[in-house]
Amino acid sequence: MNPQRTLATAGRILSQIRHDPRTIGLLLIVPSLLIGLVAWIFSDTDTFSVIGPSMIALFPFIVMFLVTSITTLRERRTGTLERLLSMPLGKGDLILGYTLAFGLLAVLQSSIAVGFAVWVCGLTIEGSIWLLLAVAVADAILGTTLGLLASAFANTEFQVVQFMPVIVFPQILLGGIFIARSDLPPGLQEISDWLPLSHAIDAMQAVATDSHDAAYIGGELLILGAWIIGAIVVGSVTLRRRTP
């Protein structure tokens, strides 16, 4: 891998996205709008103060997964990826370039979502808002890398969407949004412990309620980081030059 090639790949991706207003809107605005919709639905109750942190983890994760996986797959289907890899550009350079480009977008996305939830929707954060932002960014980057991994196995955009019930939906159901993970039936709680979104939601809730110290949050961030690195490595190994 070469840092210059990685940065060049990231620059190319950001340049393409800059000329696509719909993708920019989907990445930067839609998660906040969805968070605002949830806050509006529960405006007459205290429910949003309970589930709000989970929504900050959930919506950016889903959006980054979809946009990244479809964008990467499209480059492979159109032959762009094959032409790039015929040059002195390794698969690791490509995957890291995508991760860096969408990681920068994840920082913007998470900053907007957190700010909107706190200062517009009135979400109360007892802990450090900067720590909350750090977890939100890691969660969005996790969605990016899992999207890159899914794109390596998909042949069409429809197949990317089919990965949602396999990769995303179980994490939503077992992540503690609908029922506390400690109240899950035996077996499901153990499965939940191995799912990365569960740790993102746990960290969000811990920061929002200030129920754990920074060491606990750091441990959850390390778990998310391990998943991110693992997805990058597996995605680099399994990435195909072109869809048959």
Side-chain angles (χ1 to χ4, degrees):
M1 290 183 290
N2 183 293
Q4 292 182 337
R5 296 167 188 162
T6 299
L7 292 174
T9 300
R12 180 180 63 83
I13 299 302
L14 290 173
S15 178
Q16 289 178 345
I17 293 176
R18 183 168 61 88
H19 294 91
D20 188 349
R22 287 175 296 183
T23 300
I24 293 175
L26 180 61
L27 285 171
L28 302 183
I29 299 176
V30 169
S32 295
L33 292 179
L34 293 173
I35 292 171
L37 179 60
V38 173
W40 193 2
I41 291 172
F42 297 106
S43 59
D44 294 332
T45 68
D46 295 329
T47 303
F48 182 68
S49 63
V50 177
I51 67 173
S54 301
M55 298 300 101
I56 298 176
L58 179 61
F59 293 132
F61 173 84
I62 294 175
V63 170
M64 294 304 293
F65 177 89
L66 280 173
V67 173
T68 306
S69 56
I70 292 175
T71 301
T72 309
L73 177 63
R74 188 173 298 161
E75 290 216 325
R76 197 174 77 235
R77 286 179 55 84
T78 58
T80 302
L81 183 58
E82 186 175 28
R83 291 192 295 271
L84 289 172
L85 292 179
S86 66
M87 303 166 62
L89 179 71
K91 293 182 179 180
D93 295 319
L94 185 77
I95 294 295
L96 284 178
Y98 267 93
T99 303
L100 179 59
F102 282 101
L104 292 174
L105 292 171
V107 173
L108 291 175
Q109 180 195 70
S110 300
S111 300
I112 295 172
V114 170
F116 186 83
V118 173
W119 291 307
V120 178
C121 300
L123 180 64
T124 301
I125 303 297
E126 301 292 340
S128 169
I129 192 168
W130 297 108
L131 200 54
L132 184 74
L133 179 59
V135 178
V137 170
D139 173 67
I141 294 176
L142 173 68
T144 295
T145 54
L146 290 180
L148 289 171
L149 179 60
S151 69
F153 295 96
N155 292 328
T156 65
E157 287 83 353
F158 180 65
Q159 286 185 3
V160 167
V161 176
Q162 289 177 323
F163 275 109
M164 292 282 291
V166 178
I167 299 177
V168 177
F169 290 173
Q171 298 194 64
I172 296 174
L173 294 174
L174 301 179
I177 297 176
F178 301 104
I179 182 175
R181 295 203 301 118
S182 58
D183 295 333
L184 289 171
L188 291 182
Q189 183 175 350
E190 288 71 17
I191 295 174
S192 176
D193 289 338
W194 285 92
L195 300 177
L197 187 60
S198 299
H199 295 278
I201 292 174
D202 285 350
M204 286 283 191
Q205 295 286 3
V207 174
T209 59
D210 200 19
S211 57
H212 292 81
D213 57 15
Y216 171 83
I217 307 301
E220 299 295 85
L221 286 173
L222 286 176
I223 293 174
L224 294 178
W227 272 93
I228 290 170
I229 294 173
I232 291 173
V233 172
V234 177
S236 300
V237 172
T238 57
L239 182 66
R240 290 171 288 170
R241 290 175 175 264
R242 187 179 178 91
T243 300

